[in-house]
Amino acid sequence: MSESIWSKEYKLPLTPIKFNKSLYAILLILLPNLLFLVISIITGTSRPLVNIDYVIPVIFILLNNKFFKWLGFISLVIMTIPDIAMFVIQLFPFMDLQGVLYLAPFILEGPLRYIIFILATFIYALLLPFLIKSFAKPIDSLHALIAGSFVLLLTYFISMSDIEYSAGSKLTFGSENNYIAASQTELYIELQDSVFFKQAGVMTSFSPSQFDRVVSKLDEPLNDKILLIVVESLGAASNPDLQKEILKPLYQQQDLFNYYDNGFFEAPTFTVGAEIKELCAKDIRGFGLRLVPDASFPLCLPKILANQGYQTTALHGASGKLYDRFSWYKKAGFKEVILSENIVEAERCSAFNGVCDDEVFPIIKDYFETDREAFFYWMTLTSHAPYAKKDIYSKRLDCKYYGIEDNEVCRNMTLQAQFFEGLAKLNTMPEMQGVEVILVGDHVPPLINGAIKIKEYEHLSVTWLHYKIK
């Protein structure tokens, strides 16, 4: 008996490896990326072709083990959170818990397409594990492990090489993530660890400004109606003829003005620094303006004017969470604050998916229609880097004539020329009679090519204008 047992041949039960099953398993592992890739194409945002975060959760779902299946379900839903966050942060620069809580009340007031997008993404994240499970019936554990190991190894080596399938602008949050394979969780953590996001958590400190201010040119005694515009990325062209061409719509209507003056001076290197400089005569360190107690906030021009009986209003086309404008505009003395979430039906442009500048001109016209002492402050947006070509409709500025190639410099200057066309039209409106206008760029336009910046722009300088409409 024992002899027959030892002499008998035994074979391990082997499941034959089938190529079709392995390929099918690979497709299932890659499936969670599909909807997010479609969204990235529709929204013009950046995203890795393959988010490595999904690989292990999907492998767990494919295994014939109840514990691992449920672990895969839970982890797959969790892994969609940083993927969604990396989309949102490219459209709305607020991605932290406070930002989510701040914008939550505005969701149902938003355009229908945003509500549909949010609901579709939420439903997709919840149904995705069950969708994969329903497609996984032909797959056994062996083929799941073979396919998973192949995808893991391949995507790991690709991600370590930082191979990109297209060049991102690298000028806005998350816009450089055009990798073939990468972890969205890792990219999100890196972004939150960047200097900008760290500074957003540092309470702002103030010191007397070392820069010239366009508001110092205001008439004395103060005019009844004042419009202050800080223009995004408005530098000063080093070619005087080109600079004059950009401003030509205003040059041509000087008969409308009591006076007209312009020039350029040095400015801070970041937007909120320029805003605080003009409004409060301060330079700042740290971007946590929401953290500054009301009593510690400096005395700013809007508060001074409000105390004198002026209606004071501020408008910016991006989310109020960017640079804490939802908080510090009120502290600076603005009685009314208009932000992206307050004008949800307005047309959107590329910069932070914010309100297009052309949508603001009618708001300003209506604002000055009322006969009262009024101060309107506008921080523009459409000309923000990377100077989206799709937002350009004006053909007036001929870059080639001035020796400028069809590049980011041309796009920036064309957007500025386009802005001044809109401003010139606003100046002709009867509601604008008697309005004193002061305008200044926030900083030199950021460019990928630093050598071109030195060549085409006055170093560290921004354009300013001052005129009063008859």
Side-chain angles (χ1 to χ4, degrees), residues 326-388:
F326 76 96
S327 172
W328 77 263
Y329 274 3
K330 290 284 189 180
K331 295 176 184 179
F334 288 109
K335 296 178 182 177
E336 180 185 22
V337 176
I338 305 171
L339 301 163
S340 172
E341 44 271 25
N342 305 119
I343 38 180
V344 291
E345 292 299 334
E347 182 182 353
R348 302 282 154 164
C349 283
S350 299
F352 300 123
N353 197 39
V355 176
C356 298
D357 287 350
D358 282 352
E359 296 284 286
V360 179
F361 293 121
I363 296 174
I364 295 174
K365 175 185 74 70
D366 293 343
Y367 184 80
F368 285 112
E369 184 178 13
T370 305
D371 186 18
R372 59 181 173 177
E373 293 182 326
F375 172 64
F376 193 100
Y377 168 68
W378 177 22
M379 177 70 236
T380 73
L381 183 63
T382 302
S383 53
H384 195 285
Y387 324 115

Side-chain angles (χ1 to χ4, degrees), residues 180-315:
I180 292 179
S183 165
Q184 286 284 64
T185 301
E186 184 179 350
L187 293 172
Y188 178 73
I189 292 171
E190 287 178 1
L191 191 60
Q192 293 294 311
D193 199 42
S194 66
V195 173
F196 176 86
F197 283 91
K198 283 185 175 179
Q199 286 296 306
V202 175
M203 188 171 73
T204 305
S205 59
F206 302 89
S207 60
S209 181
Q210 304 302 307
F211 297 95
D212 291 329
R213 302 167 66 215
V214 73
V215 297
S216 66
K217 303 179 185 298
L218 284 170
D219 289 348
E220 293 186 6
L222 290 172
N223 195 53
D224 287 346
K225 297 182 177 182
I226 302 170
L227 171 60
L228 168 59
I229 306 175
V230 177
V231 182
E232 176 62 51
S233 300
L234 175 63
S238 56
N239 181 339
D241 292 334
L242 175 55
Q243 175 77 350
K244 190 171 183 179
E245 181 65 22
I246 292 171
L247 302 176
K248 186 177 180 179
L250 300 190
Y251 275 114
Q252 291 181 329
Q253 59 179 192
Q254 291 188 52
D255 289 344
L256 286 175
F257 307 146
N258 288 325
Y259 53 79
Y260 175 87
D261 195 12
N262 75 289
F264 56 86
F265 50 51
E266 290 190 9
T269 56
F270 53 99
T271 298
V272 72
E275 291 188 276
I276 296 290
K277 180 258 294 186
E278 290 295 342
L279 294 171
C280 308
K282 301 294 183 182
D283 293 334
I284 65 171
R285 294 186 66 182
F287 297 155
L289 288 154
R290 70 188 182 282
L291 304 175
V292 180
D294 291 6
S296 301
F297 208 85
L299 180 63
C300 301
L301 178 63
K303 183 168 287 188
I304 294 171
L305 293 175
N307 291 339
Q308 295 179 18
Y310 281 73
Q311 171 62 33
T312 56
T313 299
L315 186 149

Side-chain angles (χ1 to χ4, degrees), residues 156-172:
Y156 173 77
F157 286 114
I158 292 175
S159 66
M160 292 299 289
S161 303
D162 290 335
I163 302 173
E164 297 178 322
Y165 60 89
S166 68
S169 68
K170 297 180 172 61
L171 287 174
T172 54

